[in-house]
């Protein structure tokens, strides 16, 4: 049972299953003692709510997203949502929906939005992290960038979580699976568990 989880959590736009959200909550609650949590790819804040509620009483979540949507969210693509399209700017804009969901959940003092890209924010980043959750762009270039920018900032014992793992290419994109395997092959991480399409690794 997750205290204060919004009753409408399943109606919030996003692609996170309930069991994956519960696993994020559990691991963030334990990892927050090691350092802040950083999420790459917040979209409308569904996963951010699980992380934020886990850190509400003594932690901070940095929610990193340019809020212009990933490749698959653009006009004409499979996961495009017209409600999140700013016709005046001719761009996807998920930030307003994100802020509304964070504010409604009472997490404005826990969640710090970083509205930019991984490489820009990571350029001068110096804060050790207790947990990194990667759920950003699913092209190989984007996933590799997120992994290389942020996995190096995890403290020993910290958690690296990667979403949308599909070992079978017929079931889903391969970029998240590729960086997950890269992390394991590095010898720096050990697998803790897999929940649905969410993989959890611990920094050795």
């Amino acid at each position: 049972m997750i205290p204060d989880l919004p009753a409408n959590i399943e109606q919030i736009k996003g692609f996170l299953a309930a069991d994956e959200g519960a696993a994020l909550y559990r691991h963030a609650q334990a990892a927050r003692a090691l350092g802040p949590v950083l999420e790459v790819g917040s979209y409308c804040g569904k996963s951010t709510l699980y992380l934020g509620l886990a850190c509400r009483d003594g932690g901070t979540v940095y929610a990193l997203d340019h809020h212009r949507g990933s490749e698959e969210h653009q006009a004409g693509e499979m996961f495009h949502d017209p409600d999140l399209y700013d016709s005046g700017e001719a761009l996807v804009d998920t930030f307003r929906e994100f802020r509304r969901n964070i504010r409604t959940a009472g997490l404005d003092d826990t969640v710090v939005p970083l509205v930019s890209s991984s490489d820009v924010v990571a350029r001068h980043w110096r804060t050790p992290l207790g947990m990194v959750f990667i759920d950003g762009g699913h092209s190989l270039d984007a996933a590799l960038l997120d992994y290389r920018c942020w996995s190096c900032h995890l403290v020993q014992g910290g958690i690296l979580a990667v979403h949308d793992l599909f070992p079978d290419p017929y079931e889903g994109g391969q970029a998240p699976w590729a960086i997950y395997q890269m992390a394991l092959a590095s010898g720096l991480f050990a697998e803790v568990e897999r929940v649905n399409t969410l993989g959890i690794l611990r920094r050795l």
Side-chain angles (χ1 to χ4, degrees), residues 138 140 143 164-180:
H138 283 19
L140 185 57
D164 287 333
L165 299 180
F166 295 103
D168 184 344
Y170 291 102
E171 294 183 359
Q174 293 298 284
W177 181 246
I179 64 169
Y180 192 76

Side-chain angles (χ1 to χ4, degrees), residues 103 112-113 123 146 149 186 199 203:
R103 183 178 64 252
V112 180
R123 192 178 298 155
D146 292 338
C149 282
S186 73
R203 177 71 163 82

Side-chain angles (χ1 to χ4, degrees), residues 17-195:
D19 56 351
E20 296 169 339
L24 285 179
Y25 176 89
R26 179 163 38 85
H27 285 287
Q29 197 170 44
R32 70 183 190 184
L34 299 174
V37 173
L38 186 135
E39 170 185 61
V40 184
S42 302
Y43 195 50
C44 295
K46 189 170 192 174
S47 56
T48 322
L49 293 182
Y50 285 99
L51 296 170
L53 290 171
C55 294
R56 171 181 269 174
D57 300 321
T60 298
V61 177
Y62 292 102
L64 170 59
D65 197 310
H66 49 54
H67 289 286
R68 294 305 187 189
S70 298
E71 300 86 349
E72 64 271 19
H73 301 141
Q74 304 309 312
E77 298 299 324
M78 181 182 299
F79 294 105
H80 178 67
D81 185 338
D83 293 340
L84 300 174
Y85 187 73
D86 184 337
S87 56
E89 295 290 333
L91 291 168
V92 172
D93 185 357
T94 59
F95 191 49
R96 180 180 297 181
E97 188 78 9
F98 170 85
R99 288 302 300 264
R100 180 185 297 115
N101 290 328
I102 297 305
R103 183 178 64 252
T104 300
L107 292 173
D108 279 333
D109 293 334
T110 301
V111 174
V112 180
L114 302 173
V115 186
S116 190
S117 57
S118 270
D119 53 338
V120 173
V121 176
R123 192 178 298 155
H124 299 294
W125 189 271
R126 296 292 180 270
T127 304
L129 298 168
M131 179 174 176
V132 171
F133 172 47
I134 297 179
D135 193 20
H138 283 19
S139 70
L140 185 57
D141 285 346
L144 282 171
L145 179 69
D146 292 338
Y147 172 72
R148 288 168 175 162
C149 282
W150 298 110
S151 62
C152 58
H153 292 289
L154 275 169
V155 301
Q156 187 175 15
I159 292 294
L160 175 63
V162 182
H163 191 226
D164 287 333
L165 299 180
F166 295 103
D168 184 344
Y170 291 102
E171 294 183 359
Q174 293 298 284
W177 181 246
I179 64 169
Y180 192 76
Q181 293 303 307
M182 183 182 295
L184 284 172
S186 73
L188 298 174
F189 294 92
E191 188 170 57
V192 176
E193 65 172 332
R194 294 265 299 280
V195 178

